[in-house]
């Protein structure tokens, strides 16, 4: 072959090889902020203007690299040949510019770490974020203009009662959750939910939920499966059986153990039982999340109940979470500072203790849980019904229920959410119902409970305590909300508005926490605490759970009397790369997954 022809063939091959290499690996290395130099290709991080994070380069770029490439092929590259090669390569590279499924451009990116926002473009391919930085030269199948908007990881609700709803065809679209920007929920809280997590996973997956779902092993259900509703200490045989059930749940992909020693049958357990079961969770990297034994002064008191979580975390070597932390009722208002100091001290000593919180002054529970002493629940619902109507125990029952009602601030502070035997009382207070029926509030509560339990909203918190807990760097955000059909009952508004409310009320209006801190409490912090891999962050390699919101419009509309109203302000929500909210409208995309730890 003539030398001239041979050179042309080899030059063409070199052009193709280099263009292909650049297309595969990218042409710009990330930026090292400390040295202000380009870093090795494996480093990922934010980039200044003109630098793209998440793309890599090889050694055969630039004029010198082209000459080296030709020399390796036995060609002496003249200046003219190199210029021609550069021109040809430029044409090839332009055709091979990085192409993405979605680029979100010009947004103020809050990456989930707690850092202040910075301008960046975010590129998505499939279900992952693949590049963050200045992507002005990149192409995409779809471009989202986020000018004036904030871009953040999808919100993670670490304490959600949405599990039953997500397992139904009616509610698996998760519309209220998406309207809040929630892309992941942790279900089976308070020690309640199915014991068989394999079956639960299958039921959820069959409905193709629109959000991601993480499962917890529910201690109360596990105990009930072994000991029923007996108020007894678990012996070694019972503990061994419970450990087996907890291990099965963890093997099924659970993220930890949830407990509710405030509720029956969890209230019949002792701390040693909780420690032993949490030791099963520890090797898996799971957490222990507890609706503590007492959020007021019902039994052991608020401080001792928090100490129980601390002890479980310490002895079982797990992360301990005081879920939906609060100082419930006037008797314990003002105790937040003491609890913060206690948690700070144990964290300084090396124990991993966290809390989560919803941004409301009212909690939600059941009428029985709020007022009826736990001894009356021994044996289950039928036994309770007998005791409620037994004249022999009524004096004791009335006395203790009256004390519990006073702890919660009185009958005017309990509002009915849902009561199947009589829907007419929903949205009204116990005091209003008692007055209408000309009954003492405790007598009215006993009459109602004897026909069936009722969901109640309990107004029992002080705003100063709420703010004190919220400011802590170890506080996550949760809703504790249900997922119910629109229009059914008068549920707590947290089912519709938790995350936007925290941003609107406590960031924008009252300046309790800055925006980046609030977002961190909803994203990066819970993902780290629960070991939810590759979520809660805007970075290359993370799953593309992304929210784009308008800070001026983010707000909760749900109220205590008119709760069935969707939140506003989410312009786009992506769940595993699929647009679940598009230009403010809920789509029929089902991008959610049932996650495994």
């Amino acid at each position: 072959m003539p030398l001239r022809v041979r050179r042309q063939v080899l030059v063409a091959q070199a052009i193709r090889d280099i263009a292909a290499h650049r297309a595969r690996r990218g042409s710009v290395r990330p930026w090292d902020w400390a040295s202000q130099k380009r870093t090795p290709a494996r480093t990922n991080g934010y980039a200044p203007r003109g630098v793209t994070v998440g793309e890599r380069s090889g050694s055969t770029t630039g004029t010198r690299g082209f000459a080296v490439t030709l020399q390796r092929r036995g060609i002496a590259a003249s200046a003219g040949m190199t210029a021609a090669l550069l021109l040809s390569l430029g044409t090839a590279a332009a055709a091979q510019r990085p192409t993405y499924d979605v680029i979100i451009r010009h947004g103020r990116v809050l990456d989930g770490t707690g850092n202040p926002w910075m301008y960046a473009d975010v590129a998505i391919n499939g279900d992952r974020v693949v590049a963050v930085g200045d992507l002005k030269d990149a192409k995409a199948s779809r471009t989202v203009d986020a000018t004036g908007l904030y871009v953040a990881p999808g919100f993670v609700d670490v304490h959600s009662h949405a599990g039953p709803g997500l397992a139904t065809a009616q509610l698996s679209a998760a519309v209220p959750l998406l309207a809040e920007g929630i892309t992941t929920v942790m279900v089976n809280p308070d020690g309640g939910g199915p014991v068989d997590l394999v079956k639960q996973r299958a039921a959820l997956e069959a409905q193709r939920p629109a959000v991601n779902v993480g499962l917890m092993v529910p201690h109360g259900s596990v105990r009930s499966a072994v000991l029923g509703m007996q108020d007894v200490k678990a012996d070694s045989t019972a503990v061994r059986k419970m450990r087996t059930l907890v291990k099965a749940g963890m093997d099924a992909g659970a993220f930890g153990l949830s407990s509710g020693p405030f509720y029956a049958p969890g209230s019949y357990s002792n701390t040693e039982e909780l420690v032993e079961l949490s030791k099963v969770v520890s090797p898996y990297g799971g957490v222990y999340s507890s609706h503590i034994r007492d959020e007021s002064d019902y039994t052991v008191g608020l401080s001792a109940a928090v100490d129980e979580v601390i002890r479980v975390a310490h002895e079982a070597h797990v992360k301990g979470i005081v879920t939906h932390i609060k100082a419930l009722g006037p008797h314990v208002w003002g105790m937040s500072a003491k609890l913060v100091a206690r948690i700070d001290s144990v964290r300084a000593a090396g124990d991993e203790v966290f809390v989560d919180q919803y941004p409301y002054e009212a909690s939600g529970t059941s009428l029985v849980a709020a007022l009826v002493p736990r001894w009356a629940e021994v044996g289950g619902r039928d036994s309770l019904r007998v005791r409620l109507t037994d004249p022999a125990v009524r004096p004791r029952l009335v006395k203790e229920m009256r004390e519990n009602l006073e702890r919660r601030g009185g009958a005017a502070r309990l509002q009915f959410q849902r009561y199947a035997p009589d829907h007419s009382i929903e949205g009204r207070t116990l005091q209003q119902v008692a007055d209408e029926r000309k009954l003492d509030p405790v007598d009215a509560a006993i009459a109602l409970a004897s026909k069936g339990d009722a969901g109640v909203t309990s107004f029992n918190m002080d705003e100063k305590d709420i703010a004190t807990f919220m400011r802590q760097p170890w506080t996550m955000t949760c809703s504790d909300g249900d997922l119910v059909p629109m229009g059914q009952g008068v549920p707590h508004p947290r089912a519709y508005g938790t995350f936007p409310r925290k941003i609107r009320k406590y960031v924008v209006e009252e300046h309790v926490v800055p925006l980046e801190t609030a977002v961190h409490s909803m994203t990066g912090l819970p993902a780290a605490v629960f070991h939810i891999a590759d979520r809660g962050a805007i970075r290359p390699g993370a799953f593309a759970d992304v929210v784009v919101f308008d800070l001026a419009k983010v707000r909760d509309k749900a109220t205590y009397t008119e709760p069935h109203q969707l939140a506003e302000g989410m312009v786009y929500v992506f769940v595993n790369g699929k647009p679940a909210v598009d230009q403010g409208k809920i789509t029929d995309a089902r991008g959610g997954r049932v996650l495994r730890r």
Side-chain angles (χ1 to χ4, degrees), residues 71 115 233 253 310 438 448 468 538:
Q71 289 167 7
N115 288 334
K233 178 182 177 180
I310 293 170
K438 296 181 172 55
L448 293 168
T468 297
I538 299 291

Side-chain angles (χ1 to χ4, degrees), residues 113-131:
T113 65
N115 288 334
W117 66 264
M118 60 184 72
Y119 284 115
D121 305 325
V122 178
I124 297 171
N125 266 346
D127 63 355
R128 299 273 183 165
V129 173
V130 293

Side-chain angles (χ1 to χ4, degrees), residues 81-233:
M81 182 181 295
T82 300
L85 179 58
L86 282 169
L87 178 62
S88 300
L89 181 58
T91 303
Q96 298 290 337
R97 285 190 301 172
T99 300
Y100 305 107
D101 294 336
V102 178
I103 296 179
I104 303 170
R105 295 192 183 279
H106 312 309
R108 299 180 175 188
V109 174
L110 292 155
D111 64 2
T113 65
N115 288 334
W117 66 264
M118 60 184 72
Y119 284 115
D121 305 325
V122 178
I124 297 171
N125 266 346
D127 63 355
R128 299 273 183 165
V129 173
V130 293
V132 179
D134 187 344
L135 305 177
K136 63 178 179 296
D137 294 328
K139 299 185 296 183
S141 300
R142 180 179 184 188
T143 297
V144 170
D145 184 3
T147 301
L149 305 177
Y150 288 83
V151 182
F155 301 152
V156 180
D157 186 349
V158 296
H159 182 127
S160 171
H161 292 272
L166 291 171
T168 68
Q170 182 183 12
L171 298 173
S172 58
V175 171
L177 309 183
L178 293 171
E180 291 189 58
I182 297 170
T183 58
T184 300
V185 294
M186 307 302 292
V187 302
N188 304 337
D190 301 327
V195 174
D196 187 343
L197 299 193
V198 173
K199 185 176 180 181
Q200 184 184 27
R201 176 181 298 276
L204 287 163
E205 289 176 341
Q207 297 302 329
R208 298 174 53 245
V211 297
N212 302 309
V213 186
L215 309 180
M216 298 287 285
V217 179
H219 165 254
S221 301
V222 167
R223 191 178 215 275
S224 181
V226 174
L227 293 170
M229 290 290 286
Q230 299 180 69
D231 184 2
V232 296
K233 178 182 177 180

Side-chain angles (χ1 to χ4, degrees), residues 315-377:
E315 295 186 12
H317 304 290
V318 295
K319 292 184 177 73
I321 301 168
V322 180
T323 195
H324 52 52
I325 193 168
K326 64 178 71 68
L328 188 155
H331 293 189
V332 293
W333 285 352
M335 284 190 64
S336 56
K338 177 182 178 181
L339 296 177
V340 167
R342 174 67 174 137
I343 294 173
D344 277 340
S345 69
V346 299
R347 287 184 56 80
D351 289 318
E352 293 183 282
V353 178
F354 300 85
V355 309
D356 58 57
Q357 175 196 43
Y358 47 78
Y360 291 91
E361 74 278 19
S363 64
T365 186
S366 73
L367 183 66
V368 169
L371 301 183
V372 176
R374 294 299 170 262
W375 59 261
E377 294 186 75

Side-chain angles (χ1 to χ4, degrees), residues 319-550:
K319 292 184 177 73
I321 301 168
V322 180
T323 195
H324 52 52
I325 193 168
K326 64 178 71 68
L328 188 155
H331 293 189
V332 293
W333 285 352
M335 284 190 64
S336 56
K338 177 182 178 181
L339 296 177
V340 167
R342 174 67 174 137
I343 294 173
D344 277 340
S345 69
V346 299
R347 287 184 56 80
D351 289 318
E352 293 183 282
V353 178
F354 300 85
V355 309
D356 58 57
Q357 175 196 43
Y358 47 78
Y360 291 91
E361 74 278 19
S363 64
T365 186
S366 73
L367 183 66
V368 169
L371 301 183
V372 176
R374 294 299 170 262
W375 59 261
E377 294 186 75
V378 174
R381 178 67 199 171
D382 290 341
S383 298
L384 171 62
R385 186 177 289 109
V386 170
R387 295 188 184 99
L388 289 173
T389 56
D390 184 353
V393 301
R394 189 175 182 89
R396 178 187 177 190
L397 187 65
V398 169
K399 176 180 179 295
E400 294 187 27
M401 289 182 66
R402 198 176 305 283
E403 291 171 353
N404 291 342
L405 183 60
E406 192 269 336
R407 283 186 176 93
R408 289 181 175 265
R413 287 178 171 266
L414 290 181
Q415 177 182 300
F416 291 103
Q417 298 177 4
R418 180 78 171 159
Y419 185 59
D422 182 3
H423 296 301
S424 70
I425 72 170
E426 294 168 359
R428 301 165 69 193
T429 68
L430 176 59
Q431 188 66 60
Q432 290 171 327
V433 172
D435 290 345
E436 182 182 87
R437 300 184 182 189
K438 296 181 172 55
L439 292 172
D440 176 85
V442 171
D443 291 332
I446 291 174
L448 293 168
S450 65
K451 296 181 180 178
D453 206 354
V456 294
T457 297
S458 175
F459 296 86
N460 55 47
M461 283 174 262
D462 180 75
E463 282 288 348
K464 292 180 181 178
D465 289 323
I466 294 172
T468 297
F469 289 131
M470 190 176 292
R471 290 190 181 102
Q472 306 314 310
W474 30 258
T475 297
M476 299 175 284
T477 303
C478 76
S479 75
D480 197 13
D482 296 304
L483 181 59
V484 300
M486 290 284 287
Q488 183 184 93
V490 187
H492 195 298
R494 64 193 182 188
Y496 289 92
T498 295
F499 289 77
R501 177 182 175 86
K502 183 167 183 174
I503 293 172
R504 173 55 45 192
K505 178 177 173 64
Y506 292 99
V507 172
V508 176
E509 295 177 354
E510 298 184 9
H511 310 292
V512 173
V513 292
L515 180 60
E516 58 268 25
T517 299
V519 169
H520 178 55
S521 78
M522 304 171 178
T523 58
L525 181 59
V529 171
F530 281 79
H531 291 171
I532 310 174
D534 291 338
R535 298 188 193 273
I538 299 291
R539 59 167 174 76
F543 283 105
D545 295 342
V546 181
V547 297
V548 181
F549 62 88
D550 186 339

